[in-house]
Structures are given as C-alpha cells and as structure tokens.
C-alpha cells in the first residue's frame, strides 16, 4: 500500500506544482520527470491538432471542382501527405519534448545562470523550431499542389503556414506555463535579469496575432484571390474555406488568449496572496520568481520589498532593545535630524547606593545580574507611566517624562513612577537606591558626531536631578523632588515634606527639596 501511495502523492504534488509553481516542495527529480511527460504531451497534442487541421483542409478546402477528374487524385495525394505529417507529428513532438531536460533538477542542485536563461528561453526556441518545420510543410504542400494548379498551390501554402503559426504559438504559450515550476527552482536565489523573453504586452499581442489575426488574414487572402480573377471557386468551397479558418480563429484564438491571460494573471495572483499575508504581519513570506518578463521583475520586487520590511522590523526590534521605543519610532519615521527643540520635561535620576563596594566584593557575573535585575524593574515601571529611559550611566539611570512624546502631566507621571518603583522594586542582592526628580526646560534632540548619535536631553534641569538624587543619601529618603516639580503637580499625591538645610553640590542658589510621605517603609527599595 505504501508503494502505491508514494507515486500518488508525488502526482498530487506535481499537479499542485503546475498550478502554483514553487509552492509545494516537490523533489527536483520527480519534477523533472513530470515536466518531461507534460511538455512532451503538450507538444505532441498541439502538433496533432495542427496536423488534423491540415488534413481536414487538404480534403475539404483545397481541392477545386474546376479541376475535374483530377480532383479525386489531388485529394488522395494531399490526404496521404497530410497523414504522413500526422504520423510524424507525435514522434517529433516527443523528441522535442525530451529535449526539455533539466539535469540540475534531476541532480537536485541549483541551476546556473546559463541554465536558468536556457530554461526561460526554451518555449521561444520551441516556437522557432516548430515555425520552421511548419514553413517547410507549407512549402511542400504549396509546391505539390502547384504542380496541378498555381492558384491551388498558393492557397494550400497559405493555409498550411497559417495553421503552423497558430499551432506553434499555442505550443509556445502552453510550454511557457508548464515550465514555470522548473523556472521557479532556477530563479529561487537569483533575479531573472533583463528581459530574456518577450514582455507581457508582446506575449498578449502574439496570442492575438497567431490565435486570431492570422486566421483572419487567411480568410482575407482567400477573399482577395476570389476577387482578383480566380473564378473557379464555387460559393460552397469559398464558404467551407472561410468557415474552417473562421472556426480556427474563434476556437484557437480564444484558447490562446485564455492561456496568455492566465500566464499573466497567475503570478499577479500569487503576489496578491503574498501581499495579503504581509498585511497580516507575516514578513517572512516570499513569492516564487518564475517569469522572464516584467512579471518576474514584479515578483522579485515584491520579495525585495518583503525582505526590506523584515529588515526594518529587525532594526525596530534592535532599537527596542538598545534604544527607547519612542526614540526608535521617531528615528524610523523622521530620520536623524540634528536640530533640537526646547521643551519642558521632568527628569528622573535613579542611582544604586553603595554599588562600588558591592562590585568590589562580588563576581563580575553577579554584578551584571544584580544591576540588570534592578534596571529591568525600573524600566518596566517607567514605560508603564509613559516615561523614556534616556541612558544608563554606570549604576545609575536617567529617565525623561515629556520628550520626545509630549506629556502635559509629566511631573505627575514622574512622581507616580517613582512611588511605584519604591513600592515594587526589590533586589535579591540587597541593593538599595535613591530617586531624584526635577522639572524644567531642556533642549531635546539628537546629540553626537562621527556617525554616532543618540537622542538625549541637555540642560541644567538634568544636572539638578542628579544632584537631587545625591541628596537622598543625606536625608535617607528614597525619593526627593525639586520645588519646580512640586509646583507642576496636579494629580492627587502623597503629602510632601520639605527637607531643609540641604545644599546641592555645584549650585549657588538654594533649591528647596521635598520628600513624599510614603505608606511603605523608607527602605522599601532595599
């Protein structure tokens, strides 16, 4: 049972691969066998249909009643020649089909650039070969029938040539479709490059020309012959000829246009499906590139776009790790403009106390683990209150509320974040910390040089925040805020107690400091 299931599964995969090239994962060797069979059948079938058309035309369209007793002989000769072509068409189609071999598929290896180009040009070369063979047949029929009557030979040659062009064009369009799974493998890791086959517009024109235009030309040619002195044709014969060529134009023309339309619509549909997945956030999606026309360039362009979006998302994630998310968003949308702007913010400075002594008596691994443990908790609370971590300074942290995202209540948010940090943050290493808050106008913008920039805030309020935090060591409070921050508070908050007699290092003017009366012990951060 298992031995039967495997070929059936491969066949199902092969059929799906023909419908959606490059999307099933069928093995290269199985695909090579499938393509040989399908291409052979396609070429043989189209040639068989063309030969049948020639046979019908030879028997019912070409002979002229005016030839009298020779009519039967002419029919027999044309019929035998046409039948010989029918017998040759299938073997010839098989030989041509077997020439479409892809050793790189069978060997399960990537195609070289030359092999990829050869594959893309295979339908066009097949078209040229078939046109050449059909033109030889047209000359053969023309010369053969010209021995009986010049007009008869000319008419026969025109009809066979037109039928050959139509057959070759149909084989070209079908071969282009069935070879797309192999093209998807050949172009899986490279671009199709400049157009190596007729473009989309040219393909549509050829479908119309050979499927509809030439049969109409044949009808016109027969009409011209009838109007320019060929009085031997009866109304019945002219009607049969025009019906035959008109039928070819209607049926084969419709088929050719449908195949050409599918050749364009299928890859566009694959891009549309992939685009829908990208819109859902699946940035790893790619479409198979299997067309040598502008459609292939569209497929390649989509893949490059999806890769660019994925790269941008990776950059965004990296920014989210090493840069504050708000700053990353600003850089991605607005670029790295060096111009700064003046804005009022509240600055928070957090410092871990006695960290130098802790680092001296602790291993490097534990030092990093301890500081990351604290910082991880600090950052989560700061972000929850829409603050931004400006930078990590050794064992300290500088956060800003109000830039780059504007916050009218930045002072309230900063104080709420500080109180929550004191209440929630605990260190398993026994570390404690102090928090200083100060508000004021700063210059916010990208700072740096020589290709290295960072978004930061500059101004005296930043320095004062650091000095306010340093004062917590003197007062023993986990949080201190400067007077300007207290003046900006609007939301309900714990009572604030002024800490008098505290001079800030480096400041000539006295700055009044306040400590919130917390419901948690003052050493909650320990």
């Amino acid at each position: 049972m298992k031995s039967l299931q495997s070929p059936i599964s491969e066949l199902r995969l092969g059929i799906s691969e023909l419908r959606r090239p490059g999307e099933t994962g069928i093995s290269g060797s199985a695909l090579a066998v499938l393509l040989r069979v399908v291409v052979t059948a396609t070429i043989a079938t189209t040639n068989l249909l063309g030969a049948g058309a020639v046979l019908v035309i030879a028997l019912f369209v070409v002979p002229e009643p005016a030839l009298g007793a020779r009519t039967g002989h002419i029919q027999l000769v044309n019929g035998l020649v046409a039948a010989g072509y029918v017998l040759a068409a299938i073997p010839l189609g098989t030989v041509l089909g077997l020439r479409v071999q892809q050793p790189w598929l069978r060997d399960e290896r990537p195609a070289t650039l030359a092999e990829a180009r050869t594959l893309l040009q295979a339908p066009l070369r097949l078209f040229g070969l078939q046109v050449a063979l059909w033109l030889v047949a047209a000359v053969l029929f023309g010369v053969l029938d010209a021995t009986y009557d010049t007009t008869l030979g000319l008419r026969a040659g025109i009809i066979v040539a037109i039928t050959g062009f139509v057959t070759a064009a149909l084989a070209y369009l079908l071969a282009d479709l069935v070879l797309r799974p192999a093209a998807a493998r050949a172009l899986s890791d490279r671009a199709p490059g400049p157009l190596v086959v007729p473009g989309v517009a040219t393909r549509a024109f050829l479908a119309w020309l050979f499927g509809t235009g030439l049969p109409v030309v044949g009808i016109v040619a027969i009409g011209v012959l009838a109007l320019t002195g060929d009085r031997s044709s009866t109304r019945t014969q002219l009607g049969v000829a025009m019906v035959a060529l008109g039928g070819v134009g209607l049926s084969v023309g419709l088929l050719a246009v449908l195949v050409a339309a599918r050749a364009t619509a299928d890859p566009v549909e694959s891009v549309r499906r992939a685009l829908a997945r990208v819109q859902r956030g699946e940035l790893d999606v790619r479409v198979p590139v299997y067309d040598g026309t502008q459609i292939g360039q569209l497929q390649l362009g989509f893949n490059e776009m999806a890769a660019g979006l994925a790269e941008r998302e990776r950059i965004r994630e990296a920014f989210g790790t090493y840069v504050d998310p708000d700053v990353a968003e600003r850089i991605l949308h607005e670029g790295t403009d060096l111009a700064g702007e003046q804005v009022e913010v509240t600055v928070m400075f957090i410092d871990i106390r006695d960290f130098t002594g802790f680092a001296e008596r602790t291993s490097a691994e534990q030092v990093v683990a301890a500081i990351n443990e604290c910082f991880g908790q600090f950052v989560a609370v700061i972000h929850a209150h829409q603050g931004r971590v400006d930078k990590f300074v050794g064992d300290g942290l500088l956060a800003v509320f109000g830039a780059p995202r504007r916050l009218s209540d930045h002072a309230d948010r900063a104080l709420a974040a500080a109180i929550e940090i004191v209440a929630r943050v605990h260190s398993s290493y026994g570390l404690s910390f102090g928090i200083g808050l100060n508000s004021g106008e700063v210059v916010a913008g990208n700072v740096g040089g020589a290709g290295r920039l960072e978004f930061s805030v500059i101004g005296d309020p930043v320095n004062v925040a650091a000095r306010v935090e340093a004062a917590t060591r003197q007062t023993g409070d986990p949080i201190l805020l400067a007077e300007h921050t207290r003046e900006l508070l609007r939301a309900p908050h714990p009572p604030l107690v002024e800490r008098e007699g505290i001079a800030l290092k480096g400041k000539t003017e006295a700055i009044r400091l306040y400590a919130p009366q917390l419901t948690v012990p003052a050493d909650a951060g320990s």
Side-chain angles (χ1 to χ4, degrees):
M1 185 67 179
K2 183 176 180 180
S3 61
L4 293 177
Q5 287 179 345
S6 180
I8 292 175
S9 299
E10 289 284 358
L11 180 60
R12 289 176 178 173
L13 280 178
I15 294 174
S16 298
E17 182 73 15
L18 290 174
R19 292 175 179 172
R20 293 187 175 184
E23 297 184 16
T24 64
I26 186 174
S27 66
S29 57
L31 181 60
V33 173
L34 177 67
L35 290 181
R36 291 179 64 184
V37 173
V38 174
V39 171
T40 299
T42 299
I43 297 173
T45 301
T46 53
N47 280 279
L48 182 59
L49 292 175
V54 170
L55 181 61
V56 170
I57 293 172
L59 293 177
F60 300 106
V61 178
V62 173
E64 296 289 341
L67 295 176
R70 293 186 298 171
T71 299
H73 173 72
I74 294 173
Q75 287 181 329
L76 178 62
V77 172
N78 279 277
L80 290 174
V81 174
Y85 181 82
V86 170
L87 294 177
I90 293 179
L92 180 60
T94 302
V95 170
L96 291 175
L98 292 177
R99 290 183 63 185
V100 187
Q101 300 183 35
Q102 305 299 328
W104 55 271
L105 270 179
R106 186 179 61 251
D107 300 339
E108 302 282 355
R109 63 174 176 83
T112 65
L113 181 59
E115 289 172 331
R117 286 181 173 272
T118 299
L119 177 64
L120 291 175
Q121 294 172 345
L124 194 60
R125 291 199 308 273
L126 177 62
F127 173 77
L129 287 173
Q130 292 208 56
V131 166
L133 292 173
W134 277 95
L135 287 178
V136 171
V139 172
L140 175 62
F141 273 93
V143 172
L144 176 64
D145 288 333
T147 60
Y148 302 105
D149 183 85
T150 303
T151 301
L152 178 65
L154 179 60
R155 188 174 298 180
I158 291 174
I159 291 174
V160 174
I162 290 175
T163 305
F165 273 110
V166 171
T167 302
L170 189 58
Y172 162 74
L173 293 172
L174 291 173
D176 181 65
L177 279 180
V178 300
L179 286 176
R180 283 183 167 182
R185 302 289 180 94
L187 300 175
S188 61
D189 59 349
R190 63 168 58 90
L195 296 181
V196 295
V197 296
V200 175
T202 303
R203 184 162 55 193
F205 173 74
L206 292 177
W208 171 86
L209 176 64
F210 296 124
T212 301
L214 285 183
V216 173
V217 170
I219 295 175
V220 172
I222 292 177
V224 170
L225 289 175
L227 294 173
T228 55
D230 180 16
R231 305 296 181 183
S232 61
S233 300
T234 65
R235 292 176 59 185
T236 301
Q237 186 174 9
L238 287 175
V240 171
M242 296 178 72
V243 168
L245 289 175
V248 170
L250 288 175
S251 57
V252 179
L254 177 61
L255 179 59
V257 170
L258 288 176
V259 173
R262 180 181 170 186
T264 301
D266 285 353
V268 172
E269 174 63 18
S270 71
V271 173
R272 187 202 63 79
R273 292 195 307 268
L275 183 60
R277 293 177 59 186
V278 169
Q279 291 173 332
R280 293 195 298 268
E282 302 177 38
L283 300 182
D284 60 340
V285 63
R286 300 292 183 272
V287 296
V289 180
Y290 51 74
D291 198 295
T293 68
Q294 296 93 335
I295 298 293
Q297 295 175 348
L298 172 65
Q299 294 170 323
L300 176 66
F302 173 86
N303 289 340
E304 291 177 345
M305 179 200 72
L309 290 175
E311 180 65 21
R312 174 171 174 157
E313 189 61 26
R314 284 193 293 271
I315 293 174
R316 187 190 300 274
E317 292 176 356
F319 275 176
T321 301
Y322 292 97
V323 181
D324 185 88
D326 287 343
V327 176
E329 193 70 22
R330 171 173 172 153
I331 293 173
L332 290 173
H333 284 86
E334 302 180 15
T336 56
D337 186 5
L338 292 176
E341 55 183 330
Q342 199 163 7
V343 59
E344 187 179 61
V345 300
T346 296
V347 180
M348 172 188 289
F349 195 87
I350 307 177
D351 188 60
I352 298 177
R353 294 172 179 169
D354 301 322
F355 189 78
T356 302
F358 172 77
E360 289 178 350
R361 61 179 182 271
T362 310
S363 65
E365 292 80 1
Q366 288 182 317
V367 169
V368 174
I371 198 169
N372 286 342
E373 177 191 50
C374 291
F375 283 171
Q377 298 178 76
F378 296 157
V379 172
V381 176
I382 291 169
H383 284 173
H385 291 271
Q386 298 187 25
R388 180 185 66 80
V389 175
D390 187 273
K391 60 175 63 71
F392 298 99
V393 186
D395 58 336
L397 177 153
L398 176 64
V400 180
F401 293 79
R405 183 189 304 178
R406 300 295 184 268
L407 299 171
S408 60
D409 57 345
H410 51 83
D412 293 305
R413 291 181 180 275
L415 179 58
I419 293 173
E420 185 175 346
I421 288 173
V422 171
R424 290 182 49 188
V425 174
H426 298 274
S427 171
S428 59
Y429 293 89
L431 298 176
S432 60
F433 50 85
I435 303 175
L437 302 177
N438 183 43
S439 302
E441 288 192 346
V442 297
V443 176
N446 293 320
V447 179
R452 177 68 182 271
L453 301 173
E454 67 174 12
F455 184 88
S456 186
V457 291
I458 302 173
D460 186 62
V462 179
N463 299 325
V464 172
R467 302 293 187 265
V468 172
E469 184 282 323
T472 62
R473 293 174 171 80
Q474 301 178 46
T475 65
D477 298 299
I479 303 172
L480 283 178
L481 57 146
E483 182 175 12
H484 194 183
T485 302
R486 183 188 68 83
E487 293 173 349
L488 295 175
L489 296 176
R490 298 292 182 267
H493 55 79
L496 301 177
V497 179
E498 183 177 358
R499 300 305 189 199
E500 300 178 353
I502 305 298
L504 299 184
K505 183 179 179 181
K507 302 299 295 182
T508 57
E509 297 181 3
I511 297 178
R512 302 172 71 176
L513 303 180
Y514 298 85
Q517 289 186 317
L518 305 178
T519 57
V520 295
D523 61 348
S526 301

